[in-house]
Structures are given as structure tokens and as C-alpha cells.
Amino acid sequence: MAGPGFSGGDFKHEEQVFFGFTRTQLIAFLVMVALVVISPFFLYPVFLMKVLCFALFACAFNLLIGYVGLLSFGHAAYFGMGGYLAGHAAKEWGLPPEIAILIGGATGAILGLVIGAIAIRRQGIYFAMITLAFAQMVYFFCLQAPFTGGEDGIQSIPRGVLFGVFNLNSDMTMYWLTAGVFLIGFLLVHRIVHSPFGMVLKSIRENEPRATSLGYRTDDYKLMAFVLSAALSGVAGGTKSIVFGIATLTDVFWTMSGEVVLMSLVGGLGTIFGPVMGAVVIITMQNYLAEFGAWVTVIQGVIFVLCVLAFRRGIVGEIGNWLKVRL
Amino acid sequence: MDEIFGIPAPLLFGQLLLGLINGAFYALLSLGLAVIFGMLNVINFTHGAQFMMGAFVAWMLLHYLGIGYWWALLLAPLIVGFTGVVIEKTMISRLYKLDHLYGLLLTFGVGLIIEGLFRNQYGSSGMPYRIPPELQGAWDLGFMFMPVYRGWVVIVAIVACLATWLVIEKTKLGSYLRAATENPALVQAFGINVPRMMTLTYGAGVALAAFAGVLAAPIYSVNPQMGANLIIIVFAVVVIGGMGSILGSVVTGFALGVIEGFTRVFYPEASATVIFVVMAIVLLLRPAGLFGRA
């Protein structure tokens, strides 16, 4: 794999001090947790919840591109379908929010298993196009299936009562649940990446034939990573439905797949904090530039082009490179 | 011959014709993608936007300059092809040494910019483009009426596909192209300017997309989203046909258009997804695509 970006760069081995974190990563993580805890007291919690849902989505996506080298261009399918099923479970089946979110994750996992099993038969750009085409199939399914409500989507999904104790209708309570889901997902991705399983994934990214010749069944590893990534995307989508009380076609459409690629690229592919940073930047930008209409698309396109041409490491990747640490 | 399989014949043939026309566009667009991919190893995600630009340039030529369909058929591909040359020179050519995925991401970004700009300028609603007077009316084929323009589109698409195939397989330029795809360094050593060839190939592939756009302008309404929705189907066509195979993209393009048309008659709910179902089946049986090399 030529050039920086998909592989995290060459840094000397740093000792892992805690839970797979290096010292700098631990500091960065604690700063992130502090920000997550403090910010709802200063900023609008609903906006922050949106950021957190997308940050988890981007982390899940980055697990594939950053650590296995697989560019999935159809991750909206798992995000959107997770959202639909979680919404349906909460509204029509009356299930509590924690179960609804888990159903979102299970939806992502099952869908990821089916699509992933076919898609990993090809690599590189073929893989990207196949995942995109399947995601579009899911989109058309959602457009026509009766339970999704077609163009209207599923509306007025109840937030419900968490564990039968915490009423989520309060934005702050809902925020703590979202923050919890995000942090668990983030730590899970981190744990996966820094486990022996994650090492095999990285070896597949660097040189798949060699990994095969060492005796690893690389297809199994890739499929497992795909399913994990899809499941976490489903959790992110499910959480988003519960937060906003709505699941619509926007989340399954292929532009959403493009957005999650953009978030990861802006933050830094193959860095653990990059996707979070990317989600913060892109969602903030969308929120504050919404009045400019289609110009937002143009600006996103320009950022895409600039990142690919000039800042392939992304924000966090560049900072890490500058400080000579792995973030 | 009023009914076939219990379906009224005019309906069946009508959908078949519609399928064939869609197939013509799938074939032309996947052909352009295949040409670009074969030479540059880049999946041109801007292809849909460039198809849309072709239709828009035809519309602009008529609207602002009063230049009609026939000149647009020549000028629009040249103009849009030139913008392709600029994009290749300034951006894509910087990425050849990197992972191919960067080419995909870059062209995706460029596509967003182009579509956003057109949407700002012209809004999302469609604008009509009249069928040229020479091609209005319909032929009576006995079993159905065939609009002249639609027949023309199918014929032109077939001719364009054949011409592209002939250029690549039977001319000296084509043999340089094929050789440069296999081993650019060696071809360069023979004194052939490979970077320039890549630029022109990209321009030609883009021009093909724009040509399809001009053909499409009188059939679909000209609007900024017209390429975005089509391009994903074309990607599926490319995957089924086998990436980079000229023959594969043409045959698969037409065949899938027809399959889609049939599905619309017998099971309309599945017509939007049938192509992706075919793709899944083909991938399970032949991961390299029908005409592709593994």
C-alpha cells in the first residue's frame, strides 16, 4: 500500500500502558471523555447527540478502511436499516430503548454478514462498488417495504424509559445514554484494533498474500471485521432514531455513505480518534452552513478533494505525525 | 399476437423498448467507465455528474446560444471532455502513485462539487429539451408504435459502442493503449507519451459520458440529479460485466436494460432491485464478472 493514509504511519513501538492505550492515547482519551461530560452544559445536547451518533458510525466505518484497508461505500445500509428496525421495535412493538438499540445493532450485523460474505470476494475498488450497489438495493427495499413508511419514514418514535427507570424524554438523560453508547462503542473498536485479532487485520491490510501464507484464513477475518463494523453502524443508526424519534430514507441513501467516508477522511483514516474529530467537524459544518443549501454539497466536495490531494493523513493524523505519536 | 404470456403485446414490447433504451445508456456509461478504468486504474465517480453535464451543456447551447441538437451532439462531448482533461491534468494525475482508492475518493469529491454547483444555479426541478424535428413522430411496426427518437438512441448507442471497440481493438492507437495498460514503463521506453495518452483517454471517457447525456436530454428532463441516480446502476453493470472489459460492459449494459424491462412487466415491485440481485448471483458464481479476468 503506497503512501500514507490507510496505514497509520511508521512510529516506533510505544508501550501500551492501559487497556491497549499508549500514554498519549490515554491522555487523549481522558480529554475526550472530559469534553463529552462537560459539553452538554455549554452546548445544545440534541446537537451533541447527533455528533456522538455520527462519531460512533465513523469509528465503525474506520475499523474497516483504517485497519483492514477495505473501503466500504455502502455503510449507510447498516446505519439506516439499524435505525429503521430500532425505530420499528420501539414504536410498533413497544420495546424499551436499550433493546431497540440492540435490535438496531443485530440488524446491522445480519445485513453485514450477508453483504460482507459476497463483497469480500473482491478487493479494492471492486469491493467499494459492490458494497455501494448492495447498499442501493437496501435503499430501494426501504423505499418500498411497508413498515418503513416510504417517503415519510417512521415518525414519532418514542424515546421510552431506559431500564424501566430513566425517562429519556429529558434531553439530558437521553444525552447520557447516547454518550454511554458512544464510549462503549469507541472502546470496543479500540479494543478490537489492539487485540491479536486486530493485529491479523492490520497484517491483511499491509500484505494479504503473506497473511494467508502464515496460515490465517484472511476471508474469515475480513468477514468478522465487516460484521463488527456493520453491527456498530447499526447501533449508531438505532441510537440516532431513538434520539430524534424519526427514521427516514436519508440515512439509507448513498450520500450518507459518502458522508461517513468524508468524516473518516477529514479526521484521519486509520487513527483511533480521527473519525470522532471528523464527525465533530462535518456535523458542525452542516449545522451552521445549513442555510446555504446546495453550497454545503459543494463545500463537502471541496474538502474531499483537498483532503485527498493535500491532507491525506487527516486532522488527527497530521497532528499525530507532527507530535510523532500514534493517536 | 395480442397477448404473450398473458400480457398484452404492446405493453410487453413497450417495456422491452424502454429497457433497451435504458440499456443503451447503461452500455454507453459503463463503456466510458471501462475505458477510463482500463487505462488509469481509476473508478471515475464523477461519471454521473459528467453525464449530467452533457445534458446541461446541450440545454445551455440551445437556451443561451440557439445551437440545436445536432451541433450539441458534437460540441457538448468536446466541451465536457475538455473539462475532463483539466481535471485529469490538475488532480487525478497526482494520485497514480498512491492507492487506487484515492482516485475513487477524489472523483467522488469532484462529482459532489459539480452537482452542487448545478443545483445552486438551476435548482432541482427538471428542464425540458425538445426532440429535434427530424426525429419526431413514430414508426408503425405493426405490433407497436416505435417513437423515432427512441429508436435513434438505441441505434446511435450501438454504433458508438462498436466504434469504441474498433478503435481499441483494431487501430494502432488502440494497441498502444492496450500495451500501456499492461506495462506503462515499457511503452514509455518506446517513446510514446504515456501521461498524455492517459489524459486523452480520460477526456475521451468523459466525452462518452457527455455524449450519452446529450442523447438522454430529450428523453429525461434535464436536472442536476439525473446522473447520480443512474451511476450506481452503472457500477453494478460494470461489476457484473467484469471491470475493464469493453465487450462485457456493452453486452451487460443492454442485457440488464432488457431484464429490467421484463421485470417491470411481470413483477414491477422488483424492477428497481433486479439488477442488484443479478449482481449478487453473478458474484457468487463468478467473482470476476461475466467477461472479466480473475
Side-chain angles (χ1 to χ4, degrees):
Chain A
M1 183 117 6
F6 293 130
S7 43
D10 300 307
F11 299 109
K12 63 178 187 297
H13 182 75
E14 283 184 83
E15 204 181 336
Q16 298 177 353
V17 290
F18 176 72
F19 195 66
F21 282 115
T22 62
R23 196 175 300 274
T24 32
Q25 281 177 336
L26 188 61
I27 295 167
F29 177 70
L30 292 175
V31 170
M32 187 178 82
V33 172
L35 285 175
V36 167
V37 173
I38 297 167
S39 43
F41 298 104
F42 299 95
L43 295 162
Y44 185 41
V46 176
F47 164 72
L48 291 172
M49 286 190 271
K50 188 175 178 190
V51 171
L52 289 174
C53 289
F54 278 99
L56 178 59
F57 184 28
C59 286
F61 169 80
N62 184 47
L63 175 63
L64 275 183
I65 176 96
Y67 298 95
V68 205
L70 293 172
L71 172 57
S72 159
F73 231 105
H75 252 51
Y78 320 111
F79 183 71
M81 265 309 233
Y84 270 126
L85 262 292
H88 189 72
K91 189 182 175 188
E92 302 296 330
W93 300 337
L95 292 174
E98 65 274 14
I99 304 291
I101 290 172
L102 287 177
I103 286 177
T107 310
I110 294 167
L111 204 55
L113 185 66
V114 176
I115 297 178
I118 299 174
I120 55 160
R121 294 162 69 91
R122 301 306 313 269
Q123 288 167 342
I125 19 198
Y126 302 89
F127 178 84
M129 288 163 59
I130 292 162
T131 46
L132 172 64
F134 273 117
Q136 201 59 4
M137 186 168 161
V138 172
Y139 170 78
F140 282 121
F141 171 79
C142 291
L143 189 63
Q144 290 175 340
F147 84 94
T148 59
E151 304 275 351
D152 300 328
I154 304 179
Q155 292 178 359
S156 51
I157 298 165
R159 281 184 180 176
V161 181
L162 181 67
F163 304 128
V165 181
F166 305 102
N167 189 340
L168 297 178
N169 284 325
S170 140
D171 276 349
M172 274 315 252
T173 320
M174 186 71 230
Y175 179 82
W176 298 123
L177 171 64
T178 314
V181 170
F182 162 73
L183 285 175
I184 292 169
F186 179 87
L187 285 173
L188 191 64
V189 171
H190 179 80
R191 192 62 262 183
I192 292 167
V193 169
H194 293 88
S195 67
F197 171 74
M199 288 300 169
V200 180
L201 293 183
K202 279 181 240 178
S203 79
I204 292 172
R205 176 189 73 192
E206 297 301 329
N207 192 335
E208 187 170 350
R210 185 176 284 182
T212 310
S213 75
L214 286 172
Y216 293 110
R217 288 200 292 204
T218 52
D219 276 359
D220 294 355
Y221 280 85
K222 286 199 284 191
L223 184 57
M224 191 66 210
F226 198 94
V227 172
L228 284 167
S229 172
L232 279 172
S233 304
V235 169
T239 313
K240 181 169 175 274
S241 299
I242 300 290
V243 170
F244 291 94
I246 184 166
T248 60
L249 286 170
T250 334
D251 290 347
V252 229
F253 198 50
W254 65 274
T255 44
M256 185 57 76
S257 303
E259 267 174 36
V260 76
V261 180
L262 183 61
M263 287 173 197
S264 308
L265 190 66
V266 166
L269 301 171
T271 61
I272 198 82
F273 294 96
V276 182
M277 174 70 95
V280 172
V281 171
I282 299 296
I283 298 294
T284 310
M285 197 190 85
Q286 286 176 347
N287 251 42
Y288 290 95
L289 297 182
E291 56 195 291
F292 293 103
W295 282 112
V296 178
T297 320
V298 179
I299 294 166
Q300 283 186 346
V302 171
I303 296 177
F304 239 111
V305 169
L306 284 179
C307 280
V308 172
L309 287 178
F311 304 104
R312 274 183 286 276
R313 288 194 188 92
I315 299 170
V316 171
E318 293 288 347
I319 294 172
N321 188 55
W322 181 53
L323 297 173
K324 297 272 178 291
V325 289
R326 193 192 291 274
L327 283 171
Chain B
M1 208 174 92
D2 289 342
E3 286 196 357
I4 300 171
F5 309 129
I7 304 281
L11 175 68
L12 184 66
F13 286 113
Q15 288 297 345
L16 204 60
L17 174 67
L18 206 64
L20 212 55
I21 290 163
N22 283 339
F25 291 117
Y26 299 160
L28 276 176
L29 288 176
S30 62
L31 182 66
L33 278 176
V35 167
I36 292 171
F37 178 79
M39 189 71 201
L40 285 73
N41 252 320
V42 165
I43 282 290
N44 185 33
F45 237 105
T46 323
H47 219 68
Q50 281 151 343
F51 165 80
M52 176 270 287
M53 275 173 90
F56 257 100
V57 170
W59 180 87
M60 286 152 126
L61 285 172
L62 185 68
H63 197 77
Y64 299 124
L65 303 173
I67 295 173
Y69 178 81
W70 299 102
W71 278 105
L73 214 48
L74 178 71
L75 288 176
L78 282 178
I79 295 168
V80 181
F82 177 73
T83 65
V85 166
V86 174
I87 290 170
E88 202 277 346
K89 270 280 171 213
T90 52
M91 294 187 258
I92 299 177
S93 61
R94 293 163 194 268
L95 300 173
Y96 292 133
K97 288 191 183 69
L98 299 169
D99 194 281
H100 299 324
L101 295 175
Y102 285 115
L104 187 156
L105 295 177
L106 179 91
T107 49
F108 180 76
V110 175
L112 284 184
I113 298 175
I114 294 175
E115 276 175 22
L117 287 176
F118 274 91
R119 212 164 54 230
N120 274 321
Q121 192 62 36
Y122 296 100
S124 309
S125 54
M127 288 178 290
Y129 187 91
R130 280 164 53 91
I131 296 175
E134 298 87 341
L135 297 174
Q136 280 170 2
W139 291 316
D140 187 355
L141 299 180
F143 52 89
M144 66 173 287
F145 283 98
M146 165 98 148
V148 176
Y149 188 77
R150 295 182 179 233
W152 155 256
V153 167
V154 173
I155 293 165
V156 171
I158 292 172
V159 170
C161 292
L162 263 177
T164 313
W165 181 78
L166 279 175
V167 167
I168 289 176
E169 295 293 327
K170 303 290 173 200
T171 64
K172 193 137 204 172
L173 176 70
S175 65
Y176 290 156
L177 275 174
R178 279 176 289 135
T181 316
E182 293 293 327
N183 191 339
L186 188 71
V187 174
Q188 185 113 34
F190 277 106
I192 292 160
N193 189 339
V194 174
R196 193 173 65 198
M197 228 159 71
M198 290 172 119
T199 310
L200 291 178
T201 308
Y202 187 76
V206 171
L208 262 175
F211 183 69
V214 183
L215 286 178
I219 298 185
Y220 310 111
S221 69
V222 178
N223 73 81
Q225 279 95 42
M226 64 190 287
N229 300 326
L230 194 57
I231 194 67
I232 305 199
I233 298 180
V234 174
F235 281 153
V237 170
V238 166
V239 169
I240 297 168
M243 191 75 230
S245 158
I246 304 281
L247 185 67
S249 41
V250 176
V251 173
T252 318
F254 277 105
L256 284 176
V258 172
I259 290 174
E260 206 183 27
F262 268 121
T263 315
R264 207 169 285 128
V265 178
F266 292 106
Y267 188 44
E269 292 80 9
S271 63
T273 45
V274 66
I275 288 183
F276 304 115
V277 175
V278 173
M279 183 188 78
I281 296 168
V282 168
L283 278 171
L284 282 173
L285 301 175
R286 277 185 67 98
L290 292 177
F291 294 81
R293 286 169 297 173

